Coordinates of all heavy atoms in Angstrom, one line a residue:
M1 N 6.1 -18.2 -21.9 CA 6.6 -17.1 -21.1 C 7.1 -17.7 -19.8 O 6.4 -18.4 -19.2 CB 5.5 -16.1 -20.9 CG 5.9 -14.9 -20.1 SD 4.6 -13.7 -20.2 CE 5.1 -12.6 -18.9
S2 N 8.3 -17.2 -19.4 CA 8.8 -17.7 -18.1 C 8.1 -17.0 -16.9 O 7.6 -15.9 -17.1 CB 10.3 -17.5 -18.0 OG 10.6 -16.2 -17.9
D3 N 8.2 -17.6 -15.8 CA 7.5 -17.1 -14.6 C 8.6 -16.4 -13.8 O 8.9 -16.8 -12.7 CB 6.8 -18.2 -13.8 CG 5.8 -17.6 -12.9 OD1 5.4 -16.5 -13.1 OD2 5.4 -18.4 -12.0
C4 N 9.2 -15.4 -14.3 CA 10.3 -14.7 -13.6 C 9.7 -13.8 -12.5 O 8.6 -13.5 -12.5 CB 11.1 -13.8 -14.6 SG 10.2 -12.4 -15.3
Q5 N 10.6 -13.5 -11.5 CA 10.2 -12.6 -10.4 C 10.5 -11.2 -10.7 O 11.5 -10.9 -11.4 CB 11.0 -13.0 -9.2 CG 10.8 -14.4 -8.7 CD 9.4 -14.6 -8.0 OE1 9.0 -13.7 -7.2 NE2 8.7 -15.6 -8.4
V6 N 9.7 -10.3 -10.2 CA 9.9 -8.8 -10.4 C 10.1 -8.3 -9.0 O 9.3 -8.5 -8.1 CB 8.7 -8.2 -11.1 CG1 8.9 -6.7 -11.1 CG2 8.5 -8.7 -12.5
T7 N 11.1 -7.5 -8.8 CA 11.4 -6.8 -7.5 C 11.1 -5.4 -7.6 O 11.6 -4.7 -8.6 CB 12.9 -7.1 -7.1 OG1 13.1 -8.5 -7.1 CG2 13.2 -6.4 -5.8
I8 N 10.4 -4.9 -6.7 CA 10.1 -3.4 -6.6 C 10.7 -2.9 -5.3 O 10.4 -3.5 -4.2 CB 8.6 -3.2 -6.6 CG1 8.0 -3.7 -7.9 CG2 8.3 -1.7 -6.4 CD1 6.5 -3.7 -8.0
Q9 N 11.4 -1.8 -5.4 CA 12.0 -1.2 -4.2 C 11.3 0.1 -3.9 O 11.0 0.9 -4.7 CB 13.5 -1.0 -4.4 CG 14.3 -2.3 -4.5 CD 15.8 -2.0 -4.6 OE1 16.2 -0.9 -4.8 NE2 16.5 -3.0 -4.4
L10 N 10.9 0.2 -2.6 CA 10.2 1.4 -2.1 C 10.9 1.9 -0.9 O 11.5 1.2 -0.1 CB 8.8 1.1 -1.7 CG 7.8 0.5 -2.8 CD1 6.5 0.0 -2.1 CD2 7.5 1.5 -3.8
T11 N 10.9 3.2 -0.7 CA 11.3 3.8 0.5 C 10.3 3.4 1.6 O 9.2 3.0 1.3 CB 11.4 5.3 0.5 OG1 10.1 5.9 0.3 CG2 12.3 5.8 -0.7
S12 N 10.7 3.6 2.9 CA 9.8 3.3 4.0 C 8.5 4.2 3.9 O 7.4 3.8 4.2 CB 10.4 3.4 5.3 OG 11.0 4.6 5.5
D13 N 8.7 5.5 3.5 CA 7.6 6.4 3.4 C 6.7 5.9 2.3 O 5.5 5.9 2.4 CB 8.1 7.8 3.0 CG 8.6 8.5 4.2 OD1 8.5 8.1 5.4 OD2 9.3 9.6 4.0
E14 N 7.2 5.5 1.1 CA 6.4 5.1 0.0 C 5.6 3.8 0.4 O 4.5 3.7 0.1 CB 7.3 4.8 -1.2 CG 7.9 6.0 -1.9 CD 9.0 5.7 -2.9 OE1 9.6 4.6 -2.8 OE2 9.2 6.5 -3.7
A15 N 6.3 2.9 1.1 CA 5.7 1.6 1.5 C 4.5 1.9 2.5 O 3.5 1.3 2.4 CB 6.7 0.7 2.1
L16 N 4.7 2.8 3.4 CA 3.7 3.1 4.4 C 2.5 3.7 3.7 O 1.3 3.3 4.0 CB 4.3 4.1 5.5 CG 3.3 4.4 6.6 CD1 3.0 3.2 7.4 CD2 4.0 5.4 7.5
V17 N 2.7 4.7 2.9 CA 1.6 5.4 2.2 C 0.9 4.4 1.2 O -0.4 4.4 1.2 CB 2.1 6.6 1.4 CG1 1.0 7.2 0.5 CG2 2.6 7.7 2.4
L18 N 1.6 3.6 0.5 CA 1.0 2.6 -0.4 C 0.2 1.6 0.4 O -0.9 1.2 0.0 CB 2.1 1.9 -1.3 CG 1.5 0.9 -2.2 CD1 0.5 1.5 -3.2 CD2 2.7 0.2 -3.0
S19 N 0.8 1.1 1.5 CA 0.1 0.1 2.3 C -1.3 0.7 2.8 O -2.3 0.0 2.7 CB 0.9 -0.2 3.5 OG 0.2 -1.1 4.4
H20 N -1.3 1.9 3.3 CA -2.5 2.5 3.7 C -3.5 2.6 2.6 O -4.7 2.3 2.8 CB -2.2 3.9 4.3 CG -3.4 4.5 4.9 ND1 -4.0 4.2 6.1 CD2 -4.2 5.5 4.4 CE1 -5.1 4.9 6.3 NE2 -5.2 5.7 5.3
W21 N -3.1 3.1 1.4 CA -4.0 3.2 0.3 C -4.5 1.9 -0.2 O -5.7 1.8 -0.4 CB -3.2 3.9 -0.9 CG -4.1 4.1 -2.1 CD1 -5.0 5.1 -2.2 CD2 -4.2 3.3 -3.2 NE1 -5.6 5.0 -3.5 CE2 -5.1 3.9 -4.1 CE3 -3.5 2.1 -3.6 CZ2 -5.5 3.3 -5.3 CZ3 -3.9 1.6 -4.8 CH2 -4.8 2.2 -5.7
L22 N -3.7 0.8 -0.2 CA -4.2 -0.5 -0.6 C -5.2 -1.0 0.4 O -6.2 -1.7 0.0 CB -3.0 -1.5 -0.7 CG -2.1 -1.3 -2.0 CD1 -0.9 -2.2 -1.8 CD2 -2.9 -1.6 -3.2
E23 N -5.0 -0.8 1.7 CA -6.0 -1.2 2.7 C -7.3 -0.5 2.5 O -8.4 -1.1 2.5 CB -5.4 -0.9 4.1 CG -6.3 -1.3 5.2 CD -6.4 -2.9 5.3 OE1 -5.4 -3.5 4.9 OE2 -7.4 -3.4 5.8
K24 N -7.3 0.8 2.2 CA -8.5 1.6 1.9 C -9.2 1.0 0.7 O -10.4 0.9 0.6 CB -8.2 3.1 1.8 CG -8.0 3.8 3.1 CD -7.7 5.2 2.9 CE -8.7 6.0 2.1 NZ -8.5 7.4 2.0
L25 N -8.4 0.7 -0.4 CA -8.9 0.2 -1.6 C -9.6 -1.1 -1.4 O -10.7 -1.3 -2.0 CB -7.7 0.0 -2.6 CG -8.1 -0.5 -4.0 CD1 -8.9 0.6 -4.7 CD2 -6.8 -0.9 -4.8
Q26 N -9.1 -2.0 -0.6 CA -9.7 -3.3 -0.4 C -11.0 -3.2 0.5 O -11.8 -4.1 0.4 CB -8.7 -4.2 0.4 CG -7.5 -4.6 -0.5 CD -6.5 -5.5 0.2 OE1 -6.8 -6.6 0.4 NE2 -5.4 -4.9 0.6
M27 N -11.1 -2.1 1.2 CA -12.3 -1.9 2.0 C -13.5 -1.2 1.3 O -14.6 -1.0 1.8 CB -12.0 -1.0 3.2 CG -10.9 -1.6 4.1 SD -11.3 -3.2 4.8 CE -12.2 -2.6 6.3
T28 N -13.3 -0.8 0.0 CA -14.3 -0.1 -0.7 C -15.0 -1.1 -1.7 O -14.5 -2.2 -1.9 CB -13.7 1.1 -1.5 OG1 -12.8 0.6 -2.5 CG2 -13.0 2.1 -0.6
D29 N -16.0 -0.6 -2.4 CA -16.6 -1.3 -3.5 C -15.7 -1.3 -4.7 O -15.7 -0.3 -5.5 CB -18.0 -0.7 -3.8 CG -18.6 -1.5 -5.0 OD1 -18.2 -2.6 -5.3 OD2 -19.6 -0.9 -5.5
L30 N -14.9 -2.3 -4.9 CA -13.9 -2.3 -5.9 C -14.4 -2.8 -7.3 O -13.6 -2.8 -8.2 CB -12.7 -3.2 -5.5 CG -12.0 -2.7 -4.3 CD1 -11.0 -3.7 -3.8 CD2 -11.3 -1.4 -4.6
S31 N -15.6 -3.2 -7.4 CA -16.1 -3.7 -8.7 C -16.0 -2.6 -9.7 O -15.9 -2.9 -10.9 CB -17.6 -4.2 -8.5 OG -18.4 -3.2 -8.1
R32 N -16.0 -1.4 -9.3 CA -15.9 -0.3 -10.3 C -14.5 -0.1 -10.7 O -14.2 0.4 -11.8 CB -16.5 1.0 -9.7 CG -18.0 0.9 -9.5 CD -18.5 2.2 -8.8 NE -17.9 2.2 -7.4 CZ -17.7 3.3 -6.8 NH1 -17.9 4.5 -7.3 NH2 -17.2 3.3 -5.6
V33 N -13.5 -0.4 -9.8 CA -12.1 -0.1 -10.1 C -11.4 -1.4 -10.6 O -10.6 -1.3 -11.5 CB -11.4 0.4 -8.8 CG1 -9.9 0.6 -9.0 CG2 -12.1 1.6 -8.3
V34 N -11.6 -2.5 -9.9 CA -11.0 -3.8 -10.3 C -12.0 -4.6 -11.0 O -12.8 -5.3 -10.5 CB -10.5 -4.5 -9.0 CG1 -9.8 -5.8 -9.4 CG2 -9.5 -3.6 -8.2
D35 N -11.9 -4.6 -12.4 CA -12.8 -5.3 -13.2 C -12.3 -6.7 -13.6 O -13.1 -7.4 -14.3 CB -13.2 -4.5 -14.4 CG -12.0 -4.2 -15.3 OD1 -10.8 -4.4 -14.9 OD2 -12.2 -3.7 -16.4
D36 N -11.1 -7.1 -13.2 CA -10.6 -8.4 -13.5 C -10.2 -9.1 -12.3 O -9.3 -8.6 -11.6 CB -9.4 -8.2 -14.5 CG -8.8 -9.5 -14.9 OD1 -9.2 -10.6 -14.4 OD2 -7.8 -9.5 -15.8
P37 N -10.8 -10.2 -11.9 CA -10.4 -10.9 -10.7 C -9.0 -11.3 -10.6 O -8.4 -11.5 -9.5 CB -11.3 -12.2 -10.7 CG -12.4 -11.8 -11.7 CD -11.9 -10.9 -12.7
A38 N -8.3 -11.4 -11.7 CA -6.9 -11.8 -11.7 C -6.0 -10.7 -11.0 O -4.9 -11.0 -10.5 CB -6.3 -12.0 -13.1
V39 N -6.5 -9.5 -10.9 CA -5.8 -8.4 -10.3 C -5.7 -8.6 -8.8 O -4.7 -8.1 -8.2 CB -6.4 -7.1 -10.7 CG1 -5.7 -5.9 -10.0 CG2 -6.4 -6.8 -12.2
W40 N -6.6 -9.3 -8.2 CA -6.6 -9.5 -6.8 C -5.4 -10.2 -6.3 O -4.9 -9.9 -5.2 CB -7.9 -10.2 -6.3 CG -9.0 -9.2 -6.3 CD1 -10.1 -9.2 -7.2 CD2 -9.2 -8.1 -5.5 NE1 -10.9 -8.2 -6.9 CE2 -10.4 -7.5 -5.8 CE3 -8.4 -7.6 -4.4 CZ2 -10.8 -6.3 -5.2 CZ3 -8.9 -6.5 -3.8 CH2 -10.1 -5.8 -4.2
A41 N -4.9 -11.2 -7.0 CA -3.7 -12.0 -6.6 C -2.5 -11.1 -6.3 O -2.0 -11.1 -5.2 CB -3.4 -13.1 -7.6
P42 N -2.1 -10.2 -7.2 CA -1.0 -9.4 -6.9 C -1.3 -8.3 -5.9 O -0.4 -7.9 -5.1 CB -0.6 -8.7 -8.3 CG -1.8 -8.9 -9.2 CD -2.5 -10.1 -8.7
I43 N -2.5 -7.8 -5.8 CA -2.9 -6.8 -4.8 C -2.7 -7.5 -3.4 O -2.1 -6.9 -2.5 CB -4.3 -6.3 -5.0 CG1 -4.4 -5.4 -6.2 CG2 -4.8 -5.6 -3.7 CD1 -5.8 -4.9 -6.5
H44 N -3.2 -8.7 -3.2 CA -3.1 -9.3 -1.9 C -1.6 -9.7 -1.6 O -1.2 -9.5 -0.5 CB -3.9 -10.6 -1.9 CG -5.4 -10.4 -1.8 ND1 -6.0 -9.5 -0.9 CD2 -6.4 -10.8 -2.6 CE1 -7.3 -9.5 -1.1 NE2 -7.6 -10.2 -2.2
R45 N -0.9 -10.0 -2.6 CA 0.5 -10.3 -2.4 C 1.3 -9.1 -2.0 O 2.1 -9.1 -1.0 CB 1.2 -11.0 -3.6 CG 2.5 -11.5 -3.4 CD 3.0 -12.4 -4.4 NE 4.2 -13.0 -4.1 CZ 4.9 -13.8 -4.8 NH1 4.3 -14.2 -5.9 NH2 6.0 -14.3 -4.5
I46 N 1.1 -8.0 -2.6 CA 1.8 -6.7 -2.3 C 1.4 -6.3 -0.9 O 2.2 -5.9 -0.1 CB 1.5 -5.6 -3.3 CG1 2.1 -6.0 -4.7 CG2 1.9 -4.3 -2.8 CD1 1.6 -5.1 -5.8
T47 N 0.1 -6.4 -0.6 CA -0.4 -5.9 0.7 C 0.2 -6.8 1.8 O 0.6 -6.3 2.8 CB -2.0 -6.0 0.8 OG1 -2.5 -5.2 -0.3 CG2 -2.5 -5.6 2.1
G48 N 0.2 -8.1 1.6 CA 0.8 -9.0 2.6 C 2.3 -8.7 2.8 O 2.8 -8.7 3.9
T49 N 3.0 -8.5 1.7 CA 4.4 -8.2 1.8 C 4.7 -6.9 2.6 O 5.6 -6.8 3.4 CB 5.1 -8.1 0.4 OG1 4.9 -9.3 -0.2 CG2 6.6 -7.8 0.5
L50 N 3.9 -5.9 2.3 CA 4.0 -4.6 3.0 C 3.7 -4.7 4.5 O 4.4 -4.2 5.3 CB 3.1 -3.5 2.4 CG 3.5 -3.0 1.0 CD1 2.5 -2.1 0.4 CD2 4.9 -2.3 1.0
D51 N 2.6 -5.5 4.8 CA 2.3 -5.7 6.2 C 3.4 -6.3 7.0 O 3.6 -6.0 8.1 CB 1.0 -6.6 6.3 CG -0.3 -5.9 5.9 OD1 -0.2 -4.7 5.7 OD2 -1.3 -6.6 5.8
K52 N 4.1 -7.3 6.4 CA 5.2 -7.9 7.1 C 6.4 -7.0 7.2 O 7.2 -7.1 8.1 CB 5.7 -9.2 6.3 CG 4.7 -10.3 6.3 CD 5.1 -11.5 5.5 CE 4.0 -12.4 5.3 NZ 4.3 -13.4 4.2
A53 N 6.6 -6.1 6.2 CA 7.8 -5.2 6.2 C 7.6 -4.0 7.0 O 8.6 -3.3 7.3 CB 8.1 -4.9 4.7
L54 N 6.4 -3.7 7.4 CA 6.2 -2.4 8.2 C 5.7 -2.7 9.6 O 4.5 -2.7 9.9 CB 5.1 -1.6 7.4 CG 5.5 -1.1 6.0 CD1 4.3 -0.6 5.3 CD2 6.6 -0.1 6.1
P55 N 6.7 -2.8 10.5 CA 6.3 -3.1 11.9 C 5.5 -2.0 12.6 O 4.8 -2.2 13.5 CB 7.6 -3.3 12.6 CG 8.6 -2.6 11.7 CD 8.1 -2.7 10.3
G56 N 5.6 -0.8 12.0 CA 4.9 0.4 12.6 C 3.4 0.4 12.3 O 2.8 1.4 12.8
L57 N 2.9 -0.5 11.6 CA 1.5 -0.4 11.2 C 0.6 -0.4 12.4 O -0.5 0.1 12.3 CB 1.1 -1.6 10.3 CG 1.6 -1.6 8.8 CD1 1.2 -2.8 8.1 CD2 1.1 -0.3 8.1
F58 N 1.0 -1.1 13.5 CA 0.2 -1.1 14.7 C 0.7 -0.3 15.8 O 0.3 -0.4 17.0 CB 0.0 -2.6 15.1 CG -0.6 -3.5 14.0 CD1 0.2 -4.3 13.3 CD2 -1.9 -3.4 13.7 CE1 -0.3 -5.1 12.2 CE2 -2.4 -4.1 12.6 CZ -1.6 -5.0 11.9
A59 N 1.6 0.6 15.5 CA 2.1 1.5 16.5 C 1.1 2.5 17.0 O 0.2 2.9 16.2 CB 3.4 2.2 16.0
P60 N 1.1 3.0 18.2 CA 0.1 3.9 18.7 C 0.2 5.2 17.9 O -0.8 5.9 17.8 CB 0.5 4.1 20.2 CG 1.5 3.2 20.5 CD 2.0 2.5 19.2
D61 N 1.3 5.6 17.4 CA 1.5 6.8 16.6 C 1.4 6.6 15.1 O 1.9 7.4 14.3 CB 2.8 7.5 17.0 CG 4.0 6.8 16.6 OD1 3.9 5.5 16.4 OD2 5.1 7.4 16.6
Y62 N 0.7 5.6 14.7 CA 0.6 5.3 13.3 C 0.1 6.4 12.4 O 0.6 6.8 11.4 CB -0.3 4.0 13.0 CG -0.6 3.8 11.6 CD1 0.3 3.2 10.7 CD2 -1.9 4.1 11.1 CE1 0.0 3.0 9.4 CE2 -2.2 3.9 9.7 CZ -1.2 3.4 8.9 OH -1.5 3.1 7.6
D63 N -1.0 7.1 12.9 CA -1.5 8.2 12.1 C -0.5 9.3 11.9 O -0.5 9.9 10.8 CB -2.8 8.7 12.8 CG -4.0 7.8 12.8 OD1 -4.0 6.9 11.9 OD2 -4.8 7.8 13.7
Q64 N 0.2 9.6 13.0 CA 1.3 10.7 12.8 C 2.4 10.2 11.9 O 2.8 11.0 11.1 CB 1.9 11.0 14.2 CG 0.9 11.7 15.1 CD 0.0 10.7 15.9 OE1 0.2 9.5 15.8 NE2 -0.9 11.3 16.7
R65 N 2.8 9.0 11.9 CA 3.8 8.5 11.0 C 3.3 8.5 9.6 O 4.1 8.9 8.7 CB 4.2 7.0 11.3 CG 4.9 6.8 12.6 CD 5.2 5.4 12.8 NE 5.7 5.1 14.2 CZ 6.5 4.1 14.5 NH1 6.8 3.2 13.5 NH2 6.9 3.9 15.7
L66 N 2.1 8.1 9.4 CA 1.5 8.1 8.0 C 1.4 9.6 7.5 O 1.8 9.8 6.3 CB 0.1 7.5 8.0 CG -0.7 7.5 6.7 CD1 0.1 6.8 5.6 CD2 -2.1 7.0 6.9
E67 N 1.0 10.5 8.3 CA 0.9 11.9 7.8 C 2.2 12.5 7.5 O 2.4 13.2 6.6 CB 0.1 12.7 8.8 CG -0.2 14.1 8.3 CD -0.9 14.2 7.0 OE1 -1.7 13.4 6.7 OE2 -0.5 15.1 6.2
A68 N 3.2 12.2 8.4 CA 4.6 12.6 8.1 C 5.1 12.1 6.8 O 5.8 12.8 6.0 CB 5.5 12.3 9.3
A69 N 4.9 10.8 6.6 CA 5.3 10.2 5.3 C 4.7 10.8 4.1 O 5.3 11.1 3.1 CB 5.1 8.7 5.3
R70 N 3.4 11.1 4.2 CA 2.6 11.8 3.1 C 3.2 13.1 2.9 O 3.4 13.5 1.7 CB 1.2 11.9 3.5 CG 0.4 10.7 3.4 CD -1.0 10.9 3.9 NE -1.9 9.8 3.7 CZ -3.0 9.6 4.3 NH1 -3.4 10.4 5.3 NH2 -3.8 8.5 4.1
Q71 N 3.5 13.9 3.9 CA 4.1 15.2 3.7 C 5.4 15.2 3.0 O 5.7 16.0 2.1 CB 4.2 15.9 5.1 CG 2.9 16.3 5.7 CD 2.1 17.3 4.9 OE1 2.7 18.2 4.2 NE2 0.8 17.2 4.9
R72 N 6.3 14.2 3.4 CA 7.6 14.1 2.8 C 7.5 13.7 1.3 O 8.3 14.0 0.5 CB 8.5 13.1 3.5 CG 8.9 13.6 4.9 CD 9.9 12.7 5.5 NE 9.3 11.4 5.9 CZ 8.8 11.1 7.1 NH1 8.8 12.1 8.1 NH2 8.3 10.0 7.4
L73 N 6.4 12.9 0.9 CA 6.3 12.5 -0.4 C 5.6 13.4 -1.4 O 5.7 13.3 -2.6 CB 5.5 11.1 -0.5 CG 6.3 9.9 0.1 CD1 5.4 8.7 0.2 CD2 7.5 9.6 -0.7
R74 N 4.8 14.4 -0.8 CA 4.1 15.3 -1.6 C 5.1 16.3 -2.3 O 6.0 16.8 -1.6 CB 3.1 16.1 -0.8 CG 1.9 15.3 -0.4 CD 0.9 16.2 0.2 NE -0.2 15.3 0.6 CZ -0.7 15.1 1.9 NH1 -0.1 15.7 2.9 NH2 -1.7 14.3 2.1
P75 N 4.9 16.6 -3.6 CA 5.8 17.5 -4.2 C 5.6 18.9 -3.7 O 4.5 19.3 -3.3 CB 5.4 17.5 -5.7 CG 4.1 16.7 -5.8 CD 3.9 16.0 -4.5
E76 N 6.7 19.6 -3.6 CA 6.6 21.0 -3.1 C 6.1 21.9 -4.1 O 6.2 21.7 -5.3 CB 8.0 21.5 -2.7 CG 8.5 20.7 -1.5 CD 9.9 21.2 -1.0 OE1 10.1 22.5 -1.2 OE2 10.6 20.5 -0.5
G77 N 5.4 23.0 -3.7 CA 4.9 23.9 -4.7 C 3.5 24.0 -4.6 O 2.6 24.3 -5.1

């Protein structure tokens, strides 16, 4: 099997919400969720990539930006 690259494109809202969720995931007891240590490599890579791509992660209004992104991504109804 070749070691090809996979590219995933996200909107800035999707990236922000996913970044926050991954951070929370890493801070919890993951032994119940992540039962294969091999999964950690891609999780850390995705998290690192998102951290570099999202300069607003450390903005003073981060919480407001996150909540606005969540609202835009939630389905209506």
